[in-house]
Amino acid sequence: MKQTAFQPGDRVVLPPYGIGVVRGTCLRPVSGQSHAYYQVEFPNTSSKAFVPVAAPDIAGMRAALTARDMPALLDSLKTSSLNLPRQWAARHRRVTEILVGGNPFELAILTCELRRWNVERGLPDLDRQAFRRAIKLLEQEVSGLQDQGAQDVQNLLVHAWNETPQST
């Protein structure tokens, strides 16, 4: 998934903003010197971001997932586990780190664990919000991919969100 140079039209992720498209590069003055930046636009908004060409990874920009990544993502959504702290403050810190980091495989692992909690006993409000956010971030990541793997991931995410706790 590591990529050092991006081309116009490439789908990228810029946490915490989500999926964007590289529209090109431009020179912008900073402290009297011109520096090259990727111009990233975000679909369905008028938002733009300028990310240094010399160090996109420092800004957190990475290539978006492709169809080749879907089998591993689907597997993480179905079979992963995460040892989240039971104490709310520690759990909230860990969950926030994962959400802000935007790594799709960590998001899938978090989604799988919160899904398991939801089915077993239901989620408290803040955990439910985190669950919703993780699902939304993953949905953004797979949107626009037209292969069967992406469709399987999207179907699982819809199903996970609509599940209700088991009756005891």
Side-chain angles (χ1 to χ4, degrees):
M1 206 168 9
K2 178 78 171 148
Q3 184 173 346
T4 56
F6 298 97
Q7 302 299 317
D10 285 353
R11 287 175 16 112
V12 297
V13 177
L14 187 59
Y17 306 104
I19 294 287
V21 177
V22 175
R23 290 296 174 213
T25 59
C26 62
L27 293 175
R28 295 182 63 101
V30 176
S31 300
Q33 295 182 348
S34 290
H35 296 277
Y37 289 86
Y38 291 112
Q39 181 177 331
V40 180
E41 294 179 358
F42 300 93
N44 305 320
T45 72
S46 59
S47 299
K48 293 180 188 176
F50 295 93
V51 179
V53 168
D57 51 328
I58 290 175
M61 189 165 95
R62 64 171 174 79
L65 292 179
T66 65
R68 288 187 309 262
D69 300 310
M70 292 302 108
L73 186 66
L74 188 59
D75 186 53
S76 291
L77 280 166
K78 289 180 176 180
T79 63
S80 299
S81 65
L82 179 63
N83 189 15
L84 288 172
R86 296 293 177 194
Q87 181 189 24
W88 180 84
R91 183 173 67 249
H92 180 67
R93 256 189 316 278
R94 180 67 182 122
V95 166
T96 299
E97 288 171 1
I98 293 169
L99 292 172
V100 170
N103 179 303
F105 294 98
E106 288 183 5
L107 289 167
I109 293 167
L110 174 65
T111 300
C112 186
E113 186 66 21
L114 291 176
R115 177 185 182 202
R116 185 175 7 269
W117 285 21
N118 186 46
V119 169
E120 289 173 0
R121 64 180 176 270
L123 291 171
D125 189 49
L126 292 175
D127 288 332
R128 179 171 294 285
Q129 289 175 23
F131 185 44
R132 177 181 290 140
R133 180 72 180 139
I135 287 173
K136 291 282 186 199
L137 290 169
L138 288 170
E139 284 175 337
Q140 280 184 353
E141 189 91 25
V142 298
S143 69
L145 298 176
Q146 301 300 321
D147 76 313
Q148 185 58 48
Q151 186 63 47
D152 292 344
V153 168
Q154 289 173 332
N155 290 340
L156 183 87
L157 293 171
V158 167
H159 178 74
W161 181 245
N162 291 314
E163 284 178 314
T164 57
Q166 295 176 349
S167 301
T168 53

